[in-house]
Structure formats: C-alpha cells, structure tokens
C-alpha cells in the first residue's frame, strides 16, 4: 500500500516532552499528598502520551474525581512552565521537510489538549509542515486517541480512504488508537515506549531513530 497521509503523534514522536510532563505530574501528586509516588521522574514517563485522566487513575489508584483534580493541578504548572520544558527530536524537522517535498499530506493527532498542541508546534516553528493539527477536546477528558484520529481523517478528507493513511507514534495507545480507526501504525522507540510495547500492540514497523523513520517513509 502506498500511503498518502502521515499522522504524527506529538509527545515522544515529534518532541521530547518528558521533562515538562513528568515534573508537572510530580507537582500534581505532591499537591494531592501523594508525593511518595513521584520521587522518581523516570518512572513518571508512563504519563507521556496517554490521556492524563486515565493515567492518573491507573498509576496512582485515584478515583475519577481525584484524577480530575490531579489534571487541574498538572495544568497549573504545565501551562506557564512545563509546556516549554520540551524540544524537537534531532532530525525530525528534516524528516517533515522531506516528506512534504515528496507530496505526503502531513497531520498531527495528539492526546494533548488541542490548544497546547498548537502552542508547542508554533513555539518550535513546526506548524507550517502540517495540513491538519488536532489534539483532544479539553471539555472531553475521556476522549480517546481513536476519536482524535477520526477527526483528523475527516478534516483531511481521508475518512473514505483511510487505507491510504498511517499513524506514527511512540506508545501502545498510538498503535491501538490507529487500529481502532482502521489505520496501521509505525512505532518509534526514540520516544517513551519500547520495542516490546510497540510490537505487542501491533505496530507494522518499528524504528529506532528519526533517520530510520525518514528512510522507511521514503
């Protein structure tokens, strides 16, 4: 199958956002008097990618109401500080440039709230590479990755030709979200997921660097 549209995840695929996200999770858990769960920032990298509400519930055993409070605390630090504790992966802009020159339609499909996705892409001057940029709806805390992907496909005009689109992401929920939407997914291990996680989820290809990603897309 020759793909025509490439849908990219943001955190862990386009940008290395782990520092900002893990420090904001730590801040939120400390405000909930659960600081003992937030001593090791590395262990908090499980929050990079998945929807925050469900991850707070799964990681810290919070009720839905507690998790909503945690998300609120998280954003207290994230919006002024954490969002910018972040940087594009080395070589990713070259990949985007090359793919656009080759005629691919590029889009972003992220679980991060829509306005934050756009802030990050604007900050790093990456917005111009993408025809459509979509994050989750902040008023729908349970919005799934598949739902974000569906909105991207509709806006791109690929709802009826989704076999011509492919997702690119670093975590299992990118792969599962893509599968739910009828797309294949390329997994990248330079982000926050590992080979086993991506393989088990069903990624069709797994690459270890932005350079390798560029090669297989060519």
């Amino acid at each position: 199958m020759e793909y025509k549209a490439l849908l990219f995840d943001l955190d862990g695929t386009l940008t290395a956002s782990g520092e900002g996200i893990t420090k904001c999770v730590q801040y939120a858990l400390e405000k909930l008097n659960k600081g003992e769960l937030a001593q090791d920032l590395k262990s908090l990298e499980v929050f990079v990618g998945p929807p925050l509400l469900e991850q707070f519930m799964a990681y810290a055993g919070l009720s839905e109401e507690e998790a909503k409070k945690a998300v609120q605390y998280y954003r207290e630090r994230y919006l002024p500080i954490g969002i910018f504790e972040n940087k594009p992966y080395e070589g990713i802009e070259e990949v985007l440039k090359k793919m656009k020159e080759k005629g691919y339609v590029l889009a972003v499909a992220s679980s991060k709230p829509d306005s934050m996705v756009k802030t990050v892409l604007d900050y790093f001057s990456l917005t111009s590479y993408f025809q459509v940029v979509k994050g989750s709806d902040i008023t729908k805390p349970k919005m799934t990755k598949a739902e974000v992907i569906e909105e991207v496909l509709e806006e791109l005009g690929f709802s009826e030709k989704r076999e011509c689109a492919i997702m690119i992401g670093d975590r299992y929920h990118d792969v599962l979200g893509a599968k739910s939407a009828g797309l294949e997914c390329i997994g990248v291990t330079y982000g926050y997921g590992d080979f086993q996680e991506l393989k088990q989820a069903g990624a069709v290809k797994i690459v270890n660097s932005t350079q390798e990603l560029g090669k297989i897309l060519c």
Side-chain angles (χ1 to χ4, degrees), residues 77-95:
R77 186 186 184 280
Y78 189 75
L79 289 171
I81 302 168
I83 196 167
F84 302 116
E85 293 172 323
N86 193 0
K87 63 182 179 181
Y89 284 104
E90 185 178 347
I92 195 65
E93 187 167 6
E94 288 81 356
V95 171

Side-chain angles (χ1 to χ4, degrees):
M1 170 57 63
E2 186 178 335
Y3 298 109
K4 293 182 171 61
L6 309 176
L7 280 60
F8 289 84
D9 175 45
L10 176 62
D11 295 327
T13 303
L14 296 175
T15 69
S17 52
E19 180 187 354
I21 290 172
T22 56
K23 285 181 176 177
C24 293
V25 171
Q26 184 180 57
Y27 172 86
L29 290 173
E30 285 173 349
K31 287 201 75 167
L32 286 170
N33 297 314
K34 293 190 177 287
E36 73 279 1
L37 298 174
Q39 298 304 307
D40 176 21
L41 287 177
K42 185 73 180 170
S43 69
L44 299 181
E45 287 184 354
V46 294
F47 282 85
V48 183
L52 278 175
L53 185 76
E54 66 179 52
Q55 198 61 27
F56 271 117
M57 292 170 72
Y59 180 84
L62 303 181
S63 68
E64 187 171 325
E65 283 308 307
E66 288 173 322
K68 285 178 180 175
K69 198 73 179 168
V71 172
Q72 185 182 324
Y73 289 145
Y74 172 95
R75 289 180 181 148
E76 277 182 6
R77 186 186 184 280
Y78 189 75
L79 289 171
I81 302 168
I83 196 167
F84 302 116
E85 293 172 323
N86 193 0
K87 63 182 179 181
Y89 284 104
E90 185 178 347
I92 195 65
E93 187 167 6
E94 288 81 356
V95 171
L96 297 175
K97 186 179 180 186
K98 188 182 291 184
M99 295 307 104
K100 196 165 183 183
E101 287 171 351
K102 287 184 73 66
Y104 283 106
V105 174
L106 307 184
V108 173
S110 171
S111 291
K112 187 189 287 298
D114 193 68
S115 62
M116 298 182 198
V117 175
K118 288 166 181 168
T119 296
V120 171
L121 293 174
D122 285 347
Y123 185 73
F124 292 119
S125 302
L126 296 176
T127 306
S128 62
Y129 292 104
F130 302 103
Q131 188 166 320
V132 171
V133 172
K134 283 278 181 190
S136 63
D137 183 337
I138 202 164
T139 68
K140 299 176 183 175
K142 294 185 178 180
M143 189 173 188
T144 65
K145 187 75 175 201
E147 288 171 324
V148 177
I149 291 170
E150 286 290 351
E151 288 191 359
V152 171
L153 291 173
E154 185 175 351
E155 199 162 322
L156 285 175
F158 273 74
S159 293
E160 303 303 320
K161 47 181 178 179
R162 60 189 63 213
E163 70 280 359
C164 297
I166 191 165
M167 182 73 203
I168 300 155
D170 69 311
R171 298 299 311 275
Y172 70 91
H173 82 289
D174 296 313
V175 185
L176 298 180
K179 284 167 79 174
S180 293
L183 270 60
E184 293 186 325
C185 186
I186 296 170
V188 302
T189 61
Y190 60 77
Y192 298 96
D194 60 28
F195 181 88
Q196 196 56 42
E197 172 185 333
L198 292 163
K199 183 181 179 186
Q200 195 169 336
V204 290
K205 288 194 184 302
I206 299 173
V207 300
N208 301 314
S209 66
T210 57
Q211 289 78 12
E212 195 178 344
L213 177 61
K215 281 180 186 172
I216 68 160
L217 291 174
C218 283

